[in-house]
Amino acid sequence: MGLTLLLGVFVLGLAIGLPVAVTLGLSSMAYLLFADIPLVVIPQKMYAGMDSFVLLCIPGFILAGNLMNSGGITERIIRFANALVGWMRGGLAQANIAASMLFGGISGTAVADVASVGGMMIPGMKRAGYPGAFSAAVTAASSTVGPMIPPSVPMIIVGSLSGMSVGKLFLGGAIPGIAMGVAMMITTVILARKHGFPREPWKGLRELFTSFTGAIWAIAMTALIVGGLLTGITTPTETAIVACLYAMLVGLFIYRELPWRAIPRIITNSAISSAGILVLVGTANVFGWILVSERIPQMLADGVLSITDNKFVVILLINLLLLFVGMFMETIAALIILFVPLQTLALAVGIDPLHFAVFAVMNLMIGLTTPPVGVCLFVAANIARLPLSPVIRAITPYIVTNLIMLLMVSYFPPLSTWLPNRLMP
């Protein structure tokens, strides 16, 4: 009865549009009251969930991304991406995808990507003759690539939950993330030829070189992050702090577009964004603790294993569950609640933990673009000033493409395990 109350309040909260963190807190409180468990458990478990050194990466990478974005990084990345691939059929859409791959390697979050890149690319694509729905769709779809390419906030969450190396998780998502971006570019070529989308004129090697030198300091930030982790010179948290200092120095003294007076506002906004994520981590930890106390993870594993112990079938079932959950729940909450139970199941049938972590995150990234609660879908539609339905129709080919890539990553482990095992044995 208590579990029914927990899930009932949770579903009701989502249905009426409450924030996920509030919904998790209210449903957990309802369960504790029904079970006559002291409510002091809530702050205790919230603090336990947030009291992780690894989680300090999150405010660090968010601040670094905001500093770089305010210092002129987005414009330079878009200019370089346009010079690199804008000459292809559907050139601005290709540049949109390339910019998301580059920008995601700095911000680590899909929503920041779609807001920053989309804020410039969607109006620009519409002016160039692209349909508004397609412009929003390609922006939302490509934003999901960013958190697969290091750094990645979801991978940091997974590292704090599982104890796996955040550096290995970052590298594990790199090849799948790049593959997703390339696959979406191929899809864009097909759609562009079908619908007669325009292409940009080739701007020459001079523009390519000039735009590259302008964006090199931004691109180097990803190399700084990965290099620090691979060499072992810095921990993930220390890397995030180094990235903040690097971003501030580049914005102030190299790009010279980051005014000193803007830094307090950027720090405040980054703190607010980080606090929102950490509160979600805390309330989700309370919810997850209740599920563990009710033995839900073990019941889930036993239930699936009673049906089949075939690894390939289990992978399919995990994918279907995560895709469904991703349609309704925010990525971080879904990871905190479901990752450990599903990891128990995955390990029971012999799935490599790093491989499982990568395709689990990939599932939930795709969920950011699927209705009814696809956050990136909503943000892109709002920027384009369009209702959701035409954007959903336009994004369908990209969702299909990403699902194909998900199956490849799920059933071919070396895509996610080869690079980290090679570089961080």
Side-chain angles (χ1 to χ4, degrees), residues 83-98:
L84 186 66
V85 297
W87 54 271
M88 299 170 65
R89 175 67 68 180
L92 284 182
Q94 303 286 9
N96 195 328
I97 297 169

Side-chain angles (χ1 to χ4, degrees), residues 7-266:
L7 298 177
V9 174
F10 178 71
V11 172
L12 178 62
L14 291 180
I16 64 177
L18 290 177
V20 176
V22 175
T23 302
L24 290 167
L26 288 176
S27 56
S28 300
M29 184 180 295
Y31 173 89
L32 295 175
L33 290 171
F34 177 82
D36 198 25
I37 298 174
L39 293 182
V40 71
V41 167
I42 293 179
Q44 289 175 344
K45 296 301 177 183
M46 285 185 67
Y47 181 79
M50 295 184 286
D51 184 23
S52 170
F53 185 69
V54 172
L55 291 181
L56 287 176
C57 296
I58 294 176
F61 283 127
I62 288 176
L63 177 57
N66 287 341
L67 286 168
M68 291 292 276
N69 191 35
S70 299
I73 175 61
T74 307
E75 295 88 342
R76 286 173 172 81
I77 283 180
I78 290 175
R79 181 184 174 187
F80 173 58
N82 197 28
L84 186 66
V85 297
W87 54 271
M88 299 170 65
R89 175 67 68 180
L92 284 182
Q94 303 286 9
N96 195 328
I97 297 169
S100 291
M101 294 172 70
L102 294 171
F103 186 84
I106 295 170
S107 71
T109 61
V111 177
D113 182 335
V114 73
S116 299
V117 175
M120 297 184 63
M121 289 299 295
I122 292 176
M125 289 179 68
K126 290 170 70 175
R127 286 194 300 270
Y130 291 82
F134 173 78
S135 304
V138 72
T139 302
S142 62
S143 69
T144 61
V145 175
M148 297 297 297
I149 299 172
S152 166
V153 170
M155 293 298 187
I156 295 170
I157 297 293
V158 168
S160 71
L161 291 170
S162 64
M164 282 188 281
S165 163
V166 173
K168 277 196 167 186
L169 289 167
F170 279 1
L171 292 175
I175 292 177
I178 294 170
M180 286 174 69
V182 172
M184 280 190 273
M185 285 184 164
I186 294 171
T187 302
T188 299
V189 170
I190 296 170
L191 293 174
R193 288 178 176 172
K194 179 180 178 181
H195 299 291
F197 293 152
R199 71 171 79 194
E200 299 293 303
W202 166 244
K203 298 183 178 180
L205 291 175
R206 180 185 293 274
E207 169 61 16
L208 181 62
F209 178 76
T210 303
S211 62
F212 174 74
T213 55
I216 187 64
W217 292 100
I219 298 169
M221 187 171 178
T222 302
L224 175 71
I225 292 167
V226 175
L229 294 173
L230 288 180
T231 58
I233 296 174
T234 56
T235 66
T237 302
E238 291 165 349
T239 302
I241 304 307
V242 171
C244 289
L245 294 173
Y246 175 89
M248 187 167 68
L249 292 174
V250 169
L252 287 171
F253 303 114
I254 297 177
Y255 290 161
R256 297 184 180 180
E257 293 187 22
L258 177 64
W260 283 98
R261 64 179 180 276
I263 293 178
R265 173 181 53 81
I266 294 169

